[in-house]
Amino acid sequence: MRLLKVATCNLNQWAMDFDNNLRNIKESIAKAKEAGAVIRLGPELEITGYGCEDHFLEEDTVTHSWECLKDLLLGDLTDNVLCGIGMPIIHDSVRYNCQVFCMNRRILMIRPKMSLANDGNYRELRWFSAWTHKYMLVDFQLPSDVSEAISQSSAPFGYGYIQFLDVAVAAEICEELFTADPPRIGLALNGVEVFLNASGSHHQLRKLNVRIDAIKNATLSCGGVYMYSNHQGCDGARLYYDGCSCIVINGDVVAQGSQFSLKDVEVLIAQVDLDAVSSYRGSISSFREQASQKQKVLSVKAPYKICQSFKLQMVPTAPVEVKYHCPEEEIAFGPSCWLWDYLRRSGASGFLLPLSGGADSSAVAAIVGCMCQLVIKDIENGDEQVKTDAIRIGQYKNGEFPTDSKEFARRVFYTVYMGTENSSEATRSRAKKLADEIGSWHLDVPIDSVISALLSLFQTLTGKRPCYKVDGGSNTENLALQNIQARVRMVLAFMLASLMPWVHNKSGFYLVLGSSNVDEGLRGYLTKYDCSSADINPIGSVSKVDLRSFLRWGAAHLGYASLADIEAAPPTAELEPIRSNYNQLDEVDMGMTYEELSVYGRLRKIFRCGPVSMFQNLCHKWCGKLTPSEVAEKVKHFFKYYSINRHKMTVLTPSYHAESYSPEDNRFDLRQFLYNWRWPYQFRKIDELVQEMGEDKTKVPLKAERPGDSENTSDWGGGMGVVAAGSGNPNVGL
């Protein structure tokens, strides 16, 4: 029996913070060695942090990485343990994303990434090149200062594996796990038994099972031990890396790390039986045949034994059941951890949220409340880093520290209800009740006087005073009056975030939280420069359907019972006067339901459908429910308002990434923002298809079309989508 003790880890790194990153790496190696592990794996680009983006193009970034690696090699950290360290390296004037394998104060091998991630949120080809010489190892000249410090002039660089005296070990870096022709196949046929995958994989709702299945399947077909390491936390941008490092042997998960955690360092240990790998492989006849005809992969000899022989007290780690969070838990814990990292690293003293009493802003409030609960839980569990950060942010003195989530929330969280004559007592009371349950410092601020002052100024300038549609005004007047309310709230929110800490003798500033969801962004059902224009938005990539499920879950599991009443209330902007025969409703204003918006969003982004193919798909999906002409009208209606309002994505508040159909313009969904909203060619093709189906293509309007109807309204808290900005001319969408 060959027993091997291995360690992988979740690390909460911060892009370009080399001190923080090096400290976490050192701690993880020390913990691995303390547990008796002889292999320690860290995440991809762990020295720099994964999210450095164009900083990777700077020579300084590579230089500092070498300086940190030299620091690791000069001490005794790498004695008797193989360490996989992720960093960028320049070879022959080409920059590579590399895994550096170190042991006993030497560099054994440098493995450049061979398949780069370059879709969705990833842009690796912008900064790195893929290593394309699949069966080549070259001699890499180490930087002179590193060479002199460790008395080593060069190291093998390229595709290969490390052959110890008793086991063969190789790397597979992040994206390579998911490729059609992964490196591990050829490596396994050459006898490699242990695979080390350093990864930088972000959180997305319902995504973890795809990753876990890929890791399990990686060793089901050809056996082996698969170690997976990932970042965890917000390293400086929209993504939250959700950890879940794991160790798998022959398709069985024997160790799984947390998916959502406030810890900076989490190390997983497992003891694996390598004879189980050789036995598994030997039982598969096709594997034996293919291995006998393999193409030779080059190796690096390492004159060390790292396995242990059979001992009664050394028991192989047994398989564990994989833990998956439900989507409601993912919405609660993912953004909560992201917010905590953002708060402690931004220098802010807390958050301010315009809380309307609607579903979306209430969901954001619940997420902040959940963050406070996680902080208290980790302090109770003895996490000194979380305790130190909480004392600093909450500005505790004289040895005090937070022990109650509601008390902590009162120190770091302001909620503000900014009501007008159009606001109802129901939303005001729901906002107050939820704020009391969470513990936030709640303000009720009437803003009618500010709005009236602006309208009086306008009347002085023009001699005219606009009025609402229900009072006889035009659509232009109606939309303008709603926009004024929305934008006044943005100005007041930022003023309060800046000055309320001063009022309460606190240092620092508060971050303004937005609360517009992904479906409103997709439809453009929000105001440019209103409460959607915040500092950060934890739900900007979460669908309305998922948020309502989260509210129901939160009422039962977070202790915020008022969320159930909030979820049950119909979404409304409360930006127009309430009359006995009129009440503004979001879905009526939009001309589509939130459920339909989710369908449109997934077809547009995930399935890459244009108007015509979306129409064809929905004819099948909604067959028996809608006629082809009704489907055609819905598709045209969606694409019209999507294209008119696309410009709003250019100023969208940075949002936590959670949904694969997000329309976020700056990183994820790169498309133009000036469209011909009529889509003349595509819509004509849809009409032709409807005719071919033998249907009357007479238009059946979803609602009365109004001039300038690019501006639609929703919950002012940013929550249910707010009035759109712009000229009001549907011909330009600007």
Side-chain angles (χ1 to χ4, degrees):
M1 181 178 284
R2 290 175 298 144
L3 295 174
L4 185 69
K5 185 168 277 193
V6 298
T8 186
C9 53
N10 295 334
L11 295 186
N12 193 332
Q13 307 297 77
W14 190 2
M16 300 302 291
D17 186 349
F18 292 93
D19 285 339
N20 171 81
N21 299 345
L22 186 59
R23 182 170 58 250
N24 289 346
I25 293 169
K26 287 182 175 181
E27 182 179 339
S28 68
I29 296 174
K31 287 185 174 181
K33 291 180 67 175
E34 184 180 357
V38 291
I39 297 179
R40 174 270 180 197
L41 174 66
E44 184 177 16
L45 296 167
E46 60 183 316
I47 288 182
T48 59
Y50 186 83
C52 297
E53 299 186 323
D54 282 358
H55 285 294
F56 283 126
L57 302 177
E58 300 166 4
E59 293 283 332
D60 282 3
T61 304
V62 178
T63 300
H64 297 331
S65 298
W66 279 112
E67 290 165 351
C68 292
L69 184 67
K70 181 175 70 174
D71 189 320
L72 291 171
L73 292 170
L74 285 176
D76 61 358
L77 272 176
T78 63
D79 289 356
N80 303 314
V81 59
L82 175 68
C83 294
I85 308 292
M87 60 180 279
I89 289 177
I90 296 175
H91 172 59
D92 287 346
S93 300
V94 180
R95 187 179 294 98
Y96 295 100
N97 175 350
C98 295
Q99 195 73 3
V100 182
F101 291 102
C102 309
M103 187 174 187
N104 294 331
R105 313 186 192 197
R106 293 183 65 80
I107 298 173
L108 299 185
M109 177 183 168
I110 302 172
R111 164 67 150 82
K113 193 171 182 179
M114 301 171 68
S115 298
L116 301 181
N118 207 58
D119 51 15
N121 284 297
Y122 297 101
R123 304 284 183 277
E124 288 187 13
L125 280 172
R126 181 179 175 95
W127 312 298
F128 302 107
S129 295
W131 181 257
T132 57
H133 310 292
K134 189 168 182 180
Y135 296 98
M136 183 184 296
L137 278 174
V138 300
D139 200 40
F140 176 81
Q141 185 67 41
L142 298 176
S144 57
D145 58 327
V146 177
S147 176
E148 292 170 6
I150 66 174
S151 301
Q152 180 182 350
S153 60
S154 63
F157 185 102
Y159 172 67
Y161 62 94
I162 302 173
Q163 181 64 65
F164 288 92
L165 297 177
D166 48 6
V167 63
V169 178
E172 192 168 66
I173 305 173
C174 197
E175 181 72 10
E176 295 167 359
L177 168 65
F178 302 98
T179 55
D181 183 20
R184 65 178 175 274
I185 301 299
L187 291 165
L189 295 174
N190 273 266
V192 173
E193 296 165 300
V194 181
F195 301 92
L196 282 63
N197 187 309
S199 187
S201 185
H202 67 274
H203 173 240
Q204 192 168 285
L205 296 180
R206 305 173 180 88
K207 174 188 172 186
L208 180 61
N209 65 306
V210 175
R211 189 193 309 160
I212 293 292
D213 287 347
I215 296 170
K216 291 167 66 175
N217 290 332
T219 58
L220 272 175
S221 60
C222 55
V225 175
Y226 205 95
M227 299 169 57
Y228 176 88
S229 177
N230 194 19
H231 292 270
Q232 186 173 59
C234 166
D235 81 343
R238 294 161 173 79
L239 303 185
Y240 175 78
Y241 299 93
D242 60 337
C244 254
S245 296
C246 60
I247 300 168
V248 178
I249 178 169
N250 297 339
D252 290 326
V253 178
V254 295
Q256 180 192 0
S258 64
Q259 188 176 12
F260 308 109
S261 172
L262 304 185
K263 292 185 176 68
D264 282 345
V265 177
E266 181 180 354
V267 178
L268 281 74
I269 306 293
Q271 190 142 249
V272 295
D273 178 9
L274 295 179
D275 284 353
V277 174
S278 56
S279 174
Y280 183 90
R281 289 176 173 176
S283 68
I284 305 172
S285 62
S286 59
F287 180 88
R288 298 196 306 267
E289 291 302 312
Q290 290 178 330
S292 67
Q293 305 168 42
K294 65 184 179 294
Q295 183 169 354
K296 182 64 177 175
V297 177
L298 297 176
S299 64
V300 175
K301 305 297 182 184
Y304 312 112
K305 285 187 176 182
I306 59 175
C307 296
Q308 296 283 329
S309 57
F310 171 77
K311 292 180 182 177
L312 189 60
Q313 64 270 30
M314 295 178 65
V315 181
T317 306
V320 298
E321 183 177 351
V322 177
K323 176 170 178 54
Y324 296 104
H325 290 280
C326 67
E328 293 80 8
E329 290 175 319
E330 292 186 88
I331 294 171
F333 301 139
S336 293
C337 294
W338 184 75
L339 283 177
W340 177 246
D341 278 346
Y342 205 102
L343 178 61
R344 69 191 182 110
R345 289 172 171 170
S346 66
S349 302
F351 297 117
L352 182 139
L353 172 69
L355 180 60
S356 68
D360 291 357
S361 59
S362 297
V364 172
I367 288 168
V368 177
C370 180
M371 180 200 80
C372 295
Q373 292 180 16
L374 292 176
V375 168
I376 299 303
K377 181 180 178 181
D378 273 33
I379 291 174
E380 291 173 348
N381 291 337
D383 192 315
E384 290 299 320
Q385 184 61 57
V386 173
K387 182 177 179 180
T388 299
D389 288 331
I391 290 172
R392 173 178 56 83
I393 294 167
Q395 301 182 26
Y396 291 86
K397 298 178 181 177
N398 303 319
E400 295 181 339
F401 60 89
T403 57
D404 177 77
S405 65
K406 293 182 69 172
E407 186 275 333
F408 185 60
R410 190 165 179 80
R411 287 176 176 260
V412 302
F413 191 29
Y414 286 114
T415 50
V416 189
Y417 183 87
M418 292 182 275
T420 70
E421 60 184 358
N422 302 322
S423 304
S424 67
E425 184 56 38
T427 55
R428 176 180 279 104
S429 62
R430 288 199 293 264
K432 177 66 166 63
K433 185 177 179 182
L434 178 60
D436 289 343
E437 290 172 344
I438 293 169
S440 66
W441 191 293
H442 188 65
L443 302 170
D444 191 329
V445 183
I447 64 171
D448 287 315
S449 59
V450 182
I451 295 168
S452 178
L454 288 170
L455 292 175
S456 296
L457 174 62
F458 180 82
Q459 188 172 12
T460 300
L461 289 171
T462 66
K464 292 187 174 183
R465 192 178 185 95
C467 59
Y468 290 101
K469 182 179 63 176
V470 296
D471 297 326
S474 66
N475 185 58
T476 298
E477 296 169 72
N478 194 63
L479 293 171
L481 288 170
Q482 295 178 72
N483 277 325
I484 291 169
Q485 296 169 68
R487 293 190 175 111
V488 162
R489 285 166 173 146
M490 180 198 73
V491 174
L492 287 175
F494 277 96
M495 182 187 75
L496 292 169
S498 299
L499 292 177
M500 286 307 295
W502 168 72
V503 169
H504 290 136
N505 296 314
K506 297 178 180 179
S507 61
F509 61 96
Y510 276 41
L511 294 165
V512 178
L513 296 179
S515 56
S516 181
N517 64 59
V518 68
D519 296 322
E520 292 160 358
L522 176 67
R523 167 61 171 73
Y525 193 63
L526 56 107
T527 304
K528 229 175 180 180
Y529 312 116
D530 79 318
C531 287
S532 62
S533 299
D535 289 308
I536 51 174
N537 182 358
I539 65 165
S541 186
V542 183
S543 79
K544 186 74 165 189
V545 175
D546 284 335
L547 283 172
R548 300 194 74 157
S549 295
F550 164 70
L551 292 175
R552 293 191 293 269
W553 178 89
H557 295 88
L558 294 178
Y560 308 145
S562 62
L563 293 177
D565 294 333
I566 291 167
E567 189 278 330
T572 174
E574 292 194 342
L575 290 169
E576 297 182 63
I578 300 171
R579 298 287 188 264
S580 59
N581 61 346
Y582 181 76
N583 187 23
Q584 186 179 24
L585 296 174
D586 288 354
E587 293 180 330
V588 174
D589 270 5
M590 290 193 299
M592 60 191 73
T593 67
Y594 282 106
E595 286 78 6
E596 288 173 342
L597 260 175
S598 291
V599 173
Y600 300 147
R602 287 183 168 85
L603 287 173
R604 180 197 70 95
K605 177 68 176 174
I606 302 172
F607 295 97
R608 299 164 293 281
C609 287
V612 176
S613 55
M614 183 181 290
F615 164 75
Q616 292 170 324
N617 275 274
L618 289 177
C619 279
H620 291 295
K621 184 177 180 65
W622 291 339
C623 181
K625 299 179 182 178
L626 297 173
T627 65
S629 61
E630 289 172 329
V631 174
E633 181 57 34
K634 283 181 175 290
V635 170
K636 291 178 184 179
H637 188 76
F638 165 71
F639 273 101
K640 172 184 175 180
Y641 286 100
Y642 159 77
S643 52
I644 284 175
N645 292 308
R646 176 67 188 176
H647 65 96
K648 297 176 188 175
M649 294 299 96
T650 64
V651 296
L652 194 68
T653 296
S655 302
Y656 178 97
H657 177 85
E659 185 56 75
S660 55
Y661 69 89
S662 170
E664 193 272 317
D665 177 68
N666 294 303
R667 295 290 188 279
F668 186 69
D669 190 31
L670 306 182
R671 300 167 196 253
Q672 75 266 38
F673 58 87
L674 179 60
Y675 281 92
N676 184 339
W677 63 270
R678 298 175 183 84
W679 298 81
Y681 183 88
Q682 295 90 334
F683 286 5
R684 186 170 69 251
K685 294 293 291 185
I686 291 175
D687 289 340
E688 291 171 0
L689 287 169
V690 171
Q691 278 188 315
E692 289 173 8
M693 295 176 188
E695 253 225 85
D696 181 5
K697 68 171 184 176
T698 303
K699 186 175 182 181
V700 183
L702 293 171
K703 65 169 189 172
E705 294 212 9
R706 306 171 296 191
D709 198 22
S710 66
E711 303 207 27
N712 289 319
T713 60
S714 175
D715 174 47
W716 57 258
M720 308 286 186
V722 236
V723 202
S727 66
N729 185 344
N731 294 321
V732 295
L734 286 173

